[in-house]
Amino acid sequence: MSTWLTELDADAVGPAAPGPLHAQLSALLRSHIVDGSLPVGADLPTEAELQAHFGVSRSVVRQALSSLTAEGLVRRGRGRGSVVAPRGEHHRLVQRLSGLSTQVPAVTTSVLALGPEHDEAAEARLGVRAVVGLRRLRRAEGEPIALIHTWLPESIGAGLTTAQLTDTSLHAVLRSTYGVSLVSGRRQVRAVSASGALAEALEVPDGSPVLLLEGTTLDRSGVPVETFRTWHRADRVVFDVDVVTDDGRAEVEPVPVPVPASAPVPVNDASREPGALPGEAGLDELARRARELAADLDGLARGRR
């Protein structure tokens, strides 16, 4: 029996838990695939092992595995059992203002809704009394990867059309249509679970983990132009973050450059620590230049007499 399987509680699937047995089993296997406990290419326990461990029928096991196969999480081959299927991951740099439409190749964008909305939180963040709501769905390789809900001031959003925003970037449209360039903002990321309409839109089971990215974006004058929430499928989208030091610069170790012993040490040697005294060769060079300067000054003084 698989070592991984022996570590699972046999009572995790049974009449005491809510839902059909096949749904319980598929949910359990799905969670371990998504969190990496069962990595890509790993062999799943055999049907017989799953039956024996959880005390369920073969039909329950087959229905659970069929569900995972339909979701693209599992591949089943005749004579070789079930394995965790490779999953296409789409990477997004969250510190960049550009979104999935520019960072993920061949992404498509459909507009689900566009029109006036009343949202007190969005109105407060944008500092306006009326906002336009925009809901879009982004797909990659034919499957949904993100649902976006954006709010814009009515003065900007009222002029936008569905045709303008289909399969394109909102920021690009704002720049070309209104001359508005979005240049700064603040982002937050949190993990939430999908349910109801959200789960249906992203085509994931109820309760599936999703990554919520939310924030407000400002123009060059520091005026808020958009506030948004974007729910990303956690099994398809990976957030990448560039790491820098506290002062915002990448930390790189200096590489020492060997200097021949015979080489003179310049007086303005930038490699010395501030306030450090030059070496012996540097002192000799400083004395020589001081003598030359004194001779030049003396010559100028004699010429003026």
Side-chain angles (χ1 to χ4, degrees), residues 60-72:
V60 167
V61 172
R62 288 187 171 179
Q63 200 168 351
L65 293 177
S66 294
S67 296
L68 297 176
T69 302
E71 294 172 26

Side-chain angles (χ1 to χ4, degrees), residues 99-278:
L100 289 170
S101 63
T102 56
Q103 292 192 38
V104 175
V107 69
T108 62
T109 305
S110 57
V111 177
L112 305 180
L114 174 63
E117 287 187 15
H118 175 63
D119 189 288
E120 293 183 357
E123 293 163 4
R125 292 191 191 101
L126 296 173
V128 296
R129 293 183 177 180
V131 296
V132 169
L134 167 64
R135 287 193 296 118
R136 293 167 291 164
L137 182 67
R138 289 214 159 111
R139 292 178 175 269
E141 300 176 356
E143 65 179 357
I145 60 172
L147 179 68
I148 313 165
H149 197 160
T150 306
W151 294 269
L152 302 154
E154 186 181 47
S155 58
I156 294 176
L160 297 174
T161 66
T162 297
Q164 282 179 305
L165 298 168
T166 299
D167 290 337
T168 190
S169 160
L170 170 62
H171 291 191
V173 172
L174 293 178
R175 185 167 55 251
S176 62
T177 304
Y178 296 100
V180 175
S181 293
L182 303 183
V183 299
S184 63
R186 177 64 63 89
R187 304 288 185 260
Q188 298 87 37
V189 179
R190 70 187 76 230
V192 299
S193 60
S195 61
L198 175 59
E200 183 178 355
L202 292 178
E203 297 179 9
V204 296
D206 269 15
S208 297
V210 293
L211 296 171
L212 172 60
L213 177 69
E214 52 190 341
T216 300
T217 315
L218 317 177
D219 65 12
R220 295 187 183 279
S221 301
V223 176
V225 174
E226 69 163 358
T227 187
F228 68 90
R229 291 178 180 171
T230 305
W231 294 267
H232 304 76
R233 282 182 55 163
D235 62 336
R236 290 295 183 266
V237 181
V238 176
F239 286 170
D240 293 335
V241 181
D242 287 336
V243 179
V244 297
T245 58
D246 289 342
D247 60 5
R249 297 177 298 179
E251 189 170 352
V252 179
E253 287 291 333
V255 178
V257 178
V259 179
S262 59
V265 179
V267 175
N268 62 341
D269 183 8
S271 66
R272 294 198 314 269
E273 292 292 330
L277 294 175

